[in-house]
Amino acid sequence: MQKVEVAVVGSGSWATAIVKILLNNVEKVHWWVREREIAEHLMQYGHNPRYLSSVSFDTKRLNVSHELNRVLNKADIPVFCIPAAFLERSLEGMHASLLRDKPVVSAIKGIVPGHNQLVTEFFHTRYDIPYKQCVIVSGPSHAEEVAQEKLTYLTIATQSRVNGAAVSGLFSSRYIKTDISNDLFGAEYGPVLKNIIAIASGICSGLGYGDNFHAVLISNALQEISLFLETVKPAERDISKSVYLGDLLVTCYSQFSRNRRFGQMLARGYSPEEAQMEMSMVAEGYYASKCVQEMNAPFGLELPIINAVYNILYNKAKPVSEIRALEDKLA
């Protein structure tokens, strides 16, 4: 067991899975949970009542609190796992000094709305965190399979070899394998974009399109992701790596994909608002769609799949009409 003190900020399914992963390698995890009643339930019964409730924790190895600064004060390495849409609000009152000279780890897959910033960019501009201090934990991964201890590969992206090795050591286990990348921004943008594509995949599934069409949809989507990345954050990268292509595939095809499920509900006639309420989980692609649309405005890139999702979500386009129009734009 490593002696390092680790804090997890967030209480959703991925945060819960990360706590499970970390307890393979550290004696105790400090865990920030916003709601006092959820924190008390965790400490009393040893499981999260809302997410991955089948995962049991030894409460002697948890320090659960609804006080953010108290949790961060104990951490050598904080791991943030809050939906990007709620990040700014959740961190209100956080003392930035508690992040100074620490690896700041983000397991968040989304863009901060209102700022159109990646999480690392948000930490950099809001809290003056150097990019070399930032670390990204990315997939392909679903929390449900981690909970079942099914073999999962994670990518640790950072500009610091030391931080990469430290975080990789914390996450590696019998059922978690890690790979270290220096493509900090690509490892963030990839998951943002694939969540939008997964909504498209869910819509197409809900409308009755088959595997043949999905293969074309996803291959075209990978080209859109590559074009966007090379325009917005150019770098030498292999788009076929698992952090890009693998994450795209699992999010578009998996039964656990909330963005895919969100798209299926849109195809059945739910409004975006109704679908979000019904799921009681955050589909990050909903917020990312608007952010990416705004970010692409100065570039004018041809992104037909991403544009189709935006039209359905924000311009009230009918899914069946929008996807039929998309058919002739794919090859």
Side-chain angles (χ1 to χ4, degrees), residues 125-289:
T125 57
R126 174 63 63 89
Y127 301 111
D128 199 28
I129 304 298
Y131 285 122
K132 281 198 171 183
Q133 207 174 312
C134 297
V135 183
I136 297 300
V137 176
S138 191
S141 58
H142 280 303
E144 292 82 358
E145 290 201 353
V146 170
Q148 297 169 24
E149 299 190 0
K150 292 190 175 183
L151 183 60
T152 300
Y153 290 72
L154 299 178
T155 293
I156 312 297
T158 177
Q159 296 176 352
S160 165
R161 291 184 180 181
V162 173
N163 288 342
V167 175
S168 176
L170 287 174
F171 279 80
S172 299
S173 73
R174 173 179 54 80
Y175 56 93
I176 302 290
K177 295 185 182 295
T178 61
D179 180 55
I180 300 177
S181 166
N182 62 4
D183 187 10
L184 182 69
F185 300 116
E188 276 200 278
Y189 267 122
V192 168
L193 297 166
K194 60 92 181 182
N195 280 337
I196 302 172
I197 303 301
I199 293 176
S201 177
I203 293 170
C204 294
S205 174
L207 292 175
Y209 287 83
D211 292 342
N212 294 344
F213 180 78
H214 269 87
V216 175
L217 179 78
I218 293 170
S219 61
N220 277 262
L222 189 63
Q223 295 174 47
E224 291 190 24
I225 292 173
S226 179
L227 175 61
F228 186 88
L229 284 176
E230 290 308 310
T231 303
V232 177
K233 292 290 183 183
E236 185 176 336
R237 58 174 63 91
D238 182 357
I239 200 70
S240 67
K241 295 277 283 186
S242 61
V243 68
Y244 312 110
L245 177 57
D247 207 10
L248 173 65
L249 292 172
V250 76
T251 309
C252 287
Y253 283 120
S254 176
Q255 61 176 319
F256 298 123
S257 171
R258 65 186 68 176
N259 287 282
R260 186 176 194 272
R261 195 181 327 150
F262 180 70
Q264 289 174 323
M265 295 174 75
L266 296 175
R268 294 201 298 267
Y270 284 77
S271 70
E273 295 74 21
E274 290 169 339
Q276 291 272 40
M277 290 180 63
E278 179 78 14
M279 288 173 56
S280 71
M281 300 176 78
V282 177
E284 290 276 21
Y286 172 72
Y287 301 97
S289 177

Side-chain angles (χ1 to χ4, degrees), residues 24-54:
N24 290 306
N25 296 309
V26 298
E27 289 288 349
K28 178 173 283 190
V29 170
H30 307 284
W31 192 356
W32 178 77
V33 176
R34 171 181 284 277
E35 299 91 342
R36 183 194 293 265
E37 60 272 21
I38 301 300
E40 291 175 349
H41 185 102
L42 269 163
M43 289 307 295
Q44 183 174 359
Y45 298 106
H47 69 89
N48 188 333
R50 291 186 181 174
Y51 302 99
L52 302 185
S53 57
S54 63

Side-chain angles (χ1 to χ4, degrees), residues 102-143:
K102 300 176 181 179
V104 176
V105 182
S106 169
I108 301 170
K109 300 180 178 181
I111 294 179
V112 182
H115 299 273
N116 290 351
Q117 291 179 319
L118 298 171
V119 173
T120 52
E121 293 173 330
F122 178 77
F123 276 113
H124 178 72
T125 57
R126 174 63 63 89
Y127 301 111
D128 199 28
I129 304 298
Y131 285 122
K132 281 198 171 183
Q133 207 174 312
C134 297
V135 183
I136 297 300
V137 176
S138 191
S141 58
H142 280 303

Side-chain angles (χ1 to χ4, degrees), residues 57-75:
F57 296 104
D58 179 355
T59 56
K60 294 178 181 178
R61 300 182 64 198
L62 295 178
N63 173 30
V64 184
S65 175
H66 66 281
E67 298 180 33
L68 178 58
N69 289 319
R70 181 181 176 184
V71 168
L72 291 176
N73 187 51
K74 295 178 179 294

Side-chain angles (χ1 to χ4, degrees), residues 67-115:
E67 298 180 33
L68 178 58
N69 289 319
R70 181 181 176 184
V71 168
L72 291 176
N73 187 51
K74 295 178 179 294
D76 301 312
I77 300 179
V79 180
F80 290 87
C81 197
I82 302 168
F86 310 130
L87 181 64
E88 183 175 23
R89 185 176 66 192
S90 297
L91 299 188
E92 288 178 356
M94 183 185 73
H95 299 159
S97 60
L98 296 176
L99 303 182
R100 189 171 298 140
D101 301 324
K102 300 176 181 179
V104 176
V105 182
S106 169
I108 301 170
K109 300 180 178 181
I111 294 179
V112 182
H115 299 273

